[in-house]
Amino acid sequence: MPQDKSRPHSASVDPADVARFDRLGELWWDASGKMGILHEINPIRVDYICDHACRRLPLGGERRDRHGAQPLEGLRIVDIGCGGGILTEALAELGAQMTGIDPAPNNIAVASRHAERSGLSIDYRNTTAEALAADGARFDIVVAMEVLEHVEGQKDFVATLGRMVEPGGLLFLATIDRTLKSYALAIVGAEYVLGWVPRGTHDHDKFVRPDELSAWLRRAGLREIDRSGMSFQPLTRSWRRSRDTDVNYMMAAAKDA
């Protein structure tokens, strides 16, 4: 079967996954729909990025004001696998100069339309991480949140992300640990019982142990500086940052200057 020429291809791209997310369309921005969980965890992701960015990337020689209106002012950030732009827009609103890339063309179309309606200037591109890195693109911060469990050649993908981080810059990833607990909660529970995400979204074999990811980062010339879990609280039906990395977790890494 010939490849779909409308979609960029690379070693990390899983065509079936790209097609699945490409069909979501405007559902990306339906906070009560199939992608609602991303809206629920987005404040946690944004806070995590801001906390480390303000601590490690000064503005004009001064420490950034974490509680100011635009704590990410002037930082060049790329959102890898941006989908419909949920995280991308949130970071742009905090002053970052945002680039968002995704191999699914409909995702980029949806993200671009929403950013325009929101009055945000974001550089959205229908491309892959490999292509962007090959062009020599470099950023103060690279983020790839809820992406790693959907790509092929994960170790090489992490190395590609590392090449795009400027010396002194940061890389943020969020993914799912490969445990029995994550199979029960992230697949059986989230997909088949609660219907939080579409069935077939996840493959347990592609979940990544935190220590595996930390080792891949070291090979890519970065060092882990933090890891944090994201846990659902049933009583309050809310998410919070936690020490439990057995299911959803985030990791921050730095490239030495």
Side-chain angles (χ1 to χ4, degrees):
M1 182 180 294
Q3 289 185 330
D4 180 354
K5 299 298 184 181
S6 67
R7 293 177 183 151
H9 298 272
S10 72
S12 69
V13 170
D14 180 339
D17 249 346
V18 172
R20 182 181 301 114
F21 286 107
D22 202 37
R23 290 191 294 267
L24 289 172
E26 300 295 340
L27 291 178
W28 282 104
W29 288 97
D30 180 2
S32 60
K34 292 294 185 181
M35 305 306 285
I37 189 171
L38 290 181
H39 291 269
E40 293 174 8
I41 67 174
N42 204 48
I44 299 174
R45 303 188 299 180
V46 172
D47 283 346
Y48 189 70
I49 293 167
C50 280
D51 286 348
H52 287 284
C54 288
R55 191 175 302 134
R56 292 179 172 271
L57 300 174
L59 174 64
E62 301 290 333
R63 182 160 179 161
R64 293 175 180 274
D65 181 1
R66 174 64 183 87
H67 303 292
Q70 293 199 313
L72 303 180
E73 179 185 351
L75 288 175
R76 294 168 295 115
I77 303 180
V78 61
D79 185 4
I80 307 293
C82 63
I86 297 168
L87 176 61
T88 326
E89 285 202 13
L91 297 176
E93 288 172 349
L94 296 179
Q97 299 172 17
M98 290 303 304
T99 298
I101 73 165
D102 200 288
N106 196 39
N107 288 352
I108 292 299
V110 168
S112 297
R113 287 196 299 269
H114 197 276
E116 185 176 0
R117 290 196 296 267
S118 301
L120 295 171
S121 177
I122 297 174
D123 180 12
Y124 280 118
R125 307 183 195 180
N126 179 210
T127 189
T128 66
E130 288 85 353
L132 194 62
D135 286 342
R138 300 292 182 269
F139 300 89
D140 301 308
I141 295 176
V142 175
V143 299
M145 313 297 262
E146 287 74 43
V147 172
L148 192 56
E149 65 271 24
H150 298 290
V151 304
E152 304 293 331
Q154 294 166 314
K155 180 170 66 175
D156 291 338
F157 180 73
V158 170
T160 297
L161 300 181
R163 289 199 298 274
M164 288 188 281
V165 181
E166 288 276 17
L170 299 172
L171 170 62
F172 294 93
L173 301 112
T175 190
I176 305 176
D177 196 353
R178 191 175 63 254
T179 60
L180 289 175
K181 183 177 177 180
S182 70
Y183 182 83
L185 296 181
I187 295 181
V188 176
E191 295 185 19
Y192 291 89
V193 177
L194 299 173
W196 283 350
V197 294
R199 292 185 179 186
T201 296
H202 295 120
D203 177 351
H204 191 259
D205 289 340
K206 285 188 173 182
F207 292 175
V208 181
R209 306 302 323 266
D211 286 346
E212 289 175 342
L213 180 53
S214 188
W216 295 346
L217 288 166
R218 288 195 298 274
R219 293 190 192 101
L222 298 106
R223 56 187 174 83
E224 177 189 345
I225 57 174
D226 187 75
R227 68 178 72 173
S228 177
M230 287 188 289
S231 300
F232 182 69
Q233 309 301 303
L235 293 179
T236 59
R237 292 192 58 79
S238 62
W239 290 81
R240 66 175 176 85
R241 202 186 303 184
S242 75
R243 295 181 180 179
D244 182 0
T245 62
D246 288 347
V247 186
N248 299 85
Y249 69 94
M250 300 176 289
M251 189 172 288
K255 178 182 281 189
D256 292 333

